[in-house]
Structure formats: structure tokens, C-alpha cells
Amino acid sequence: MQAVAFLLQKVVKIIRMSVRPFMNQTVININHICGCFLAIFTMIFSTQLAADEFNKYFIQEVRVCYDENEKISSKSFFLQNCKAMPLSEVKTGNKLTWIGTTFNLGDPEHIDKPVGLFFSAQAAAEFYFNGELIGRNGYPSLQAEEEQPGVMDFVTYIPKGLLKEHQNELVIKLSSHHKAFDISRSIPLAIVTYYDSPQDIVLHHYLPTLVPLGVLIIGLIFLSVLVWQDLSPRRGTFWLPILSLLVVLQLLTEVSRGLVAYEYPYHEVRLMVILLLGTLSGLSLLLYIIDGFVQNHRKACFLLSMLFTLVCIYLGNTIENKTVFAIQVPAGVSFLITAFQAFNRQENARKHASALFIFFIIIAVNPNQFLDLYFYYFVAALLLFFFVQHAIAYKHEQSQKQLAQQRAAQLQQALDEYSEQQTPSKIKLNLADKSEWISCENICFVKGARDYVEISLLDRRNVLHNETLTLMEEKLPATFLRIHRSYIVNKQLIQSLEKLPSGGGNLILSSGDTVPVSRRIMPKIRKQLG
């Protein structure tokens, strides 16, 4: 195990050094990604090694007899003309069923721990080992009303005195009258192993799913925050948190088998929930791809794809096949959509098409094995790819927004400077012994005095500035008005206009000052003041 971990560390180091130059502009830390994959691979290898050490004998081939008259017993079973078949193909149905097998365990004296039979089946069952009744899970019967349903996962202790080195005989009496549907394997698993709680055995099987569960939950939180903060989210982003949530719920429903010891009729309810969540996950994947890569007729494209998916699910002969189709068909359709858009050179379409193609091929190579633990690893890997793509896109958009804000700030500064030049808010006054910037709003009026101007301020000061009245008129903003050849007044301070008999007039300012208006300019002033 240490050698495997050391080798994986070397491989991760090479990958890290190879891709680091391309990750400088992203928000994803390559060290964290490599560390996650190292943890995933290490957990997979360690779990496999632990499983090889823990599990002793898997029952795979059995003989099957159907007892319609209750004439078969555990002692007469091997005298019957029973049919041989794989355990996974046994159909219990609404009848009394007997299954049996023989196997070798090696020297029982070397077995230093209690041994048990772990049996997972949608049935009530009685267990006979070398002719002796060793346990009962519910109560099997030929009549439905007499059957007592057993739990889905059950362990019964095998006394060490019954163990033989050769030709151990196992016979199981079954009935499954309370199955509502015949949509899954009746007997998924039978193992002779070290005795342990059935829930612990199931949880040990599901232990590796903690890695994809963590990835999915982190992705769910990350994308939810991303969508929440983004006031104008990118097309398709909304569906990724929903897809992550559905897969998380599907995984939790899967793992619930190791947390609750439920009776076998509820197993089909659990499988139907998994199928429903798988179907919704597949449709969410479709919506994500269609919303992100299809420009026109998106509703029609989704409806046709959904109809095709539902037809494939309906044609599946087992619940396992239906659940695989629920994600495989949308993945295939999504690949075709992104491949077509990649041909049209749409941004990011090629990357998505490559990821979806790999995902689809992995399912197609071994669909029966895919549904168990592999499903969540590969779905988590696909969603991790989506997370990284959106993180990169989000980082790029933030950079573009910052650049646009900088450009807008520079443009606004230029406009402000231009506006200040055209209509200044302050002017520079050259006084006798200093220069002073005066706010134009504080100027009441300006009076010409040959090469100088006398400026009257709101604070009752009068300052002398060495500039002509004509130059001052050009510098002052549009709020100032020339009312006389010797006066410029602040229009915002005009309170009233007084007409004189000579044709001229006086302007009364809110500051209390009175400024003369020439007869020639009087009509213009009256027009401007209304």
C-alpha cells in the first residue's frame, strides 16, 4: 500500500509540474486538485485491499427449485432435480423457492473469528447450513398471508462446529409475496464472511462514496454562491447547483441502505426514488447543456431529448438498466449537442464535448458495474469539470469587469476634467501676495477695474485679481451673466430686477448687493430671467 501511495505521489507531482503554467490565471489551486485525486486513488486502493482481506467467499452459482406443494426440505433439497444458474438471475416471485450450493472454506481451525452468512434479498428466508437451521429472516411461506417480510440485509451466525473443510452445504428457503414490482434482482448478494452487523457491512461497501459526496457538496455550495452573487449569471449556470443537489440526494438515498434496516418491500421504493433522482439529474444535465450551447429552439430541443430519454428508460428491463439510461442517454444527447457546436467553433463547446464523450464511453463499456460506486465517482468528476470551467469563466468575467470599471473610471475622469475646463467649479485668483482657488458658487459678482477685476464674495470679502473682465467672463461657468460692460453677476444669486426710468435697471442679489444693468443689455436680461 505504501508503494502504491508513493507511486501516486510521483505521478501527481509530474502532473502538477506539467499543468501549473496553465493554471496561473484560474481560481482553482492545482495543489488542491492533485491532493483530492491522490486521496481518491488512495482510498480506492485501500478499500479494495481491505475488501480482499475481509470477504472470504462469494456465492455466485446456485441450484434453484420451486416448491408448489411444500414437499421439499433442507435435507431432501440436493436430491431434487434443480436448475443451476447464477445467483443474480434467481427470480423468487410469488412462490416458495429453494436455493442451495456447496463450497469449500479451507481448514476451519485457522478461522479465528466468528463466521456469518451475509444475505441481501427481497425475500423472507430460512437458512440451513450442513443440514442445521442457523437463522431466519422473517418467515417464508407458500401463502402470501402467512409470510412475514424479512429485512433487506441480514446476517446470521454460522456455528464453528458446523464448518467443514470440504463440501459445506448451504440451503435457503425463500418467499417474496410482498414484492410490488419485479424490477430488480431478487438476490443481489450472498457472502460467507466474518460475522458483523449487516449495516456495518453495507456501510463498508459505501465508504468510498464519501469522496464524491464531499466533491458534490463542495460543488453545490460553490455554484450556489456563484449563482447567488452573479446578478446576470451565465447561461446554464443555474442548472448546475440543481444537478449537484439531485446527485447528492441520490447518493444519500443509496447510502441510506446502510443506515436503516428496512424490510424488503421498501427496497423497491428506495430504488424508485433513486431512479427518479437519476432521471431528474439526467434532465438537469440536458437543461444545462441546452441552455448553455443551443441558440435557437431550445424548448423543442429539450422536449425531444426528454421524450427520447423517457422512452429509453421505459425500455430498460431492470431498475438498474433504467437508472443507467436515465443518465447515459442525456449524456449522449449532450455530447451530440456540444460536438455540433464545437464544429461551429462555439466557445468552450469542444472541452464540454470531450468530457461528455469520455463520460458516455465509460458508461457504455460496463453499464452493469457503472451504477454502483463508479457512478458517483464519474458523475462527481464530470461535475468537477463543470465547476472548474465555471470558476475559470467567472474569474475571466471578473477580470473583464474590473478592466471595464477601470476604463469607465478613466473615461469619467477625462469627462470631469473636460467639464471642469468648460464649466469650472473653482477658479484660480492671483492676489497681491498669493494665489487662491475660489469656488464659483461663492462669487456674488465681478466688477471690472481696467486691467484688474474686483470680486465680491459671499463671505463679504472683496478681492482684487490681476485679469481683465473679458478674460474672467471666458473662465467663469455658464451660471454667470454679463449684465454691464463693467459687471458680471452670479445668476443663482439674483433675487429681483428693478427697472429704472433711464431704461437701465438694478439687480438685487440675495447677498444684499445691488448691481447695475445697462440699458443696452436690459432686454436680454429680462428675457433670461423670464
Side-chain angles (χ1 to χ4, degrees):
M1 187 59 218
Q2 293 179 349
V4 172
F6 177 77
L7 179 61
L8 288 173
Q9 289 175 352
K10 291 298 183 183
V11 172
V12 168
K13 184 177 181 180
I14 294 172
I15 295 173
R16 184 186 301 151
M17 294 177 62
S18 300
V19 301
R20 182 180 286 127
F22 304 100
M23 297 296 291
N24 291 334
Q25 302 301 319
T26 70
V27 295
I28 302 299
N29 190 323
I30 188 64
N31 294 321
H32 294 167
I33 295 176
C34 293
C36 289
F37 278 108
L38 177 60
I40 291 172
F41 290 137
T42 304
M43 179 169 287
I44 291 174
F45 276 104
S46 62
T47 302
Q48 183 61 46
L49 290 174
D52 292 340
E53 179 184 354
F54 182 82
N55 297 324
K56 293 303 178 183
Y57 183 79
F58 286 83
I59 298 172
Q60 298 177 341
E61 295 290 332
V62 294
R63 297 172 62 189
V64 182
C65 287
Y66 297 105
D67 189 359
E68 299 179 356
N69 301 312
E70 294 188 286
K71 293 183 178 181
I72 302 176
S73 66
S74 61
K75 295 182 179 180
S76 65
F77 173 80
F78 288 100
L79 301 177
Q80 307 296 321
N81 185 21
C82 298
K83 183 178 180 181
M85 66 175 64
L87 180 68
S88 60
E89 296 181 6
V90 175
K91 299 291 184 181
T92 54
N94 296 321
K95 60 187 89 172
L96 197 60
T97 306
W98 290 82
I99 64 173
T101 187
T102 59
F103 55 91
N104 302 326
L105 282 180
D107 188 0
E109 296 300 325
H110 291 126
I111 300 177
D112 57 352
K113 297 179 182 179
V115 176
L117 171 66
F118 175 77
F119 191 71
S120 179
Q122 297 182 66
E126 288 180 354
F127 305 93
Y128 298 87
F129 195 84
N130 289 330
E132 298 292 333
L133 177 66
I134 59 172
R136 182 181 286 117
N137 181 24
Y139 188 84
S141 176
L142 183 63
Q143 306 299 325
E145 57 274 12
E146 296 179 2
E147 178 193 279
Q148 296 179 8
V151 294
M152 183 64 195
D153 299 303
F154 179 77
V155 171
T156 184
Y157 172 67
I158 303 176
K160 190 171 183 179
L162 294 179
L163 297 175
K164 300 178 182 180
E165 184 174 354
H166 303 290
Q167 291 296 313
N168 289 283
E169 295 181 351
L170 175 65
V171 178
I172 305 174
K173 179 182 177 181
L174 304 162
S175 67
S176 300
H177 296 291
H178 290 81
K179 282 186 65 175
F181 309 100
D182 189 18
I183 55 176
S184 62
R185 291 181 293 174
S186 298
I187 310 175
L189 200 62
I191 311 172
V192 177
T193 181
Y194 292 131
Y195 185 88
D196 200 354
S197 163
Q199 274 62 56
D200 289 344
I201 294 175
V202 173
L203 285 177
H204 183 275
H205 174 72
Y206 286 118
L207 182 62
T209 60
L210 291 176
V211 174
L213 178 62
V215 173
L216 292 168
I217 291 177
I218 293 172
L220 172 61
I221 296 172
F222 166 74
L223 286 170
S224 299
V225 172
L226 193 66
V227 173
W228 179 266
Q229 290 183 344
D230 199 350
L231 299 179
S232 56
R234 292 167 297 282
R235 290 174 57 185
T237 310
F238 173 77
W239 297 109
L240 277 184
I242 296 178
L243 175 57
S244 302
L245 176 61
L246 290 170
V247 177
V248 167
L249 293 176
Q250 183 177 346
L251 177 53
L252 292 176
T253 305
E254 186 81 45
V255 176
S256 67
R257 179 175 170 180
L259 302 175
V260 181
Y262 55 82
E263 293 183 346
Y264 80 81
Y266 294 101
H267 185 67
E268 291 177 329
V269 176
R270 171 178 165 273
L271 293 179
M272 292 299 292
V273 172
I274 292 175
L275 173 59
L276 175 61
L277 292 171
T279 303
L280 294 177
S281 300
L283 297 181
S284 298
L285 175 62
L286 266 176
L287 285 167
Y288 165 68
I289 295 299
I290 290 174
D291 197 23
F293 293 95
V294 177
Q295 303 296 330
N296 302 314
H297 309 294
R298 283 185 285 174
K299 289 184 179 179
C301 182
F302 171 71
L303 290 175
L304 289 175
S305 302
M306 181 181 67
L307 180 62
F308 179 63
T309 301
L310 294 178
V311 169
C312 292
I313 293 173
Y314 176 77
L315 294 176
N317 55 357
T318 65
I319 192 73
E320 291 82 5
N321 290 339
K322 293 177 185 290
T323 307
V324 169
F325 287 155
I327 191 69
Q328 184 183 24
V329 174
V333 175
S334 299
F335 162 70
L336 294 177
I337 292 173
T338 51
F340 177 76
Q341 296 301 337
F343 179 77
N344 293 332
R345 300 183 181 279
Q346 184 171 342
E347 184 181 3
N348 283 332
R350 180 177 296 180
K351 295 179 181 178
H352 282 73
S354 300
L356 289 165
F357 177 75
I358 294 172
F359 183 72
F360 180 83
I361 292 299
I362 288 172
I363 304 176
V365 168
N366 198 343
N368 294 328
Q369 293 295 326
F370 173 79
L371 185 60
D372 198 14
L373 302 182
Y374 300 105
F375 171 82
Y376 300 103
Y377 275 96
F378 289 120
V379 170
L382 182 64
L383 286 172
L384 182 62
F385 167 78
F386 294 152
F387 301 160
V388 172
Q389 293 303 308
H390 278 277
I392 295 173
Y394 184 77
K395 179 66 175 179
H396 179 71
E397 286 187 6
Q398 293 302 310
S399 300
Q400 292 298 316
K401 286 181 180 179
Q402 291 178 0
L403 182 60
Q405 290 173 356
Q406 292 175 358
R407 291 176 176 173
Q410 293 173 355
L411 178 60
Q412 185 63 44
Q413 182 178 359
L415 290 174
D416 292 342
E417 292 176 354
Y418 177 78
S419 177
E420 183 69 21
Q421 293 175 358
Q422 299 300 312
T423 57
S425 59
K426 291 184 178 181
I427 61 172
K428 181 181 179 182
L429 299 181
N430 298 318
L431 308 181
D433 56 349
K434 64 179 179 178
S435 295
E436 183 178 350
W437 287 93
I438 301 293
S439 174
C440 294
E441 295 179 352
N442 293 329
I443 298 176
C444 299
F445 64 90
V446 180
K447 179 181 178 181
R450 294 189 178 181
D451 294 336
Y452 293 87
V453 291
E454 184 180 347
I455 302 174
S456 178
L457 303 176
L458 282 175
D459 59 4
R460 311 308 299 173
R461 287 190 301 150
N462 290 311
V463 296
L464 193 65
H465 174 54
N466 61 346
E467 234 174 22
T468 64
L469 190 66
T470 302
L471 289 176
M472 281 295 296
E473 183 180 13
E474 293 176 356
K475 289 184 177 182
L476 289 170
T479 54
F480 284 80
L481 180 65
R482 183 78 174 260
I483 61 172
H484 193 279
R485 67 179 182 178
S486 300
Y487 287 91
I488 300 173
V489 71
N490 188 345
K491 291 193 297 183
Q492 294 179 341
L493 300 180
I494 296 175
Q495 190 170 10
S496 62
L497 173 63
E498 182 183 82
K499 186 176 180 182
L500 299 177
S502 62
N506 290 322
L507 283 176
I508 311 300
L509 305 182
S510 59
S511 61
D513 296 304
T514 300
V515 184
V517 180
S518 67
R519 182 178 60 182
R520 180 176 58 84
I521 302 178
M522 187 67 176
K524 179 182 177 182
I525 300 301
R526 294 180 64 183
K527 184 177 180 181
Q528 285 206 19
L529 298 179

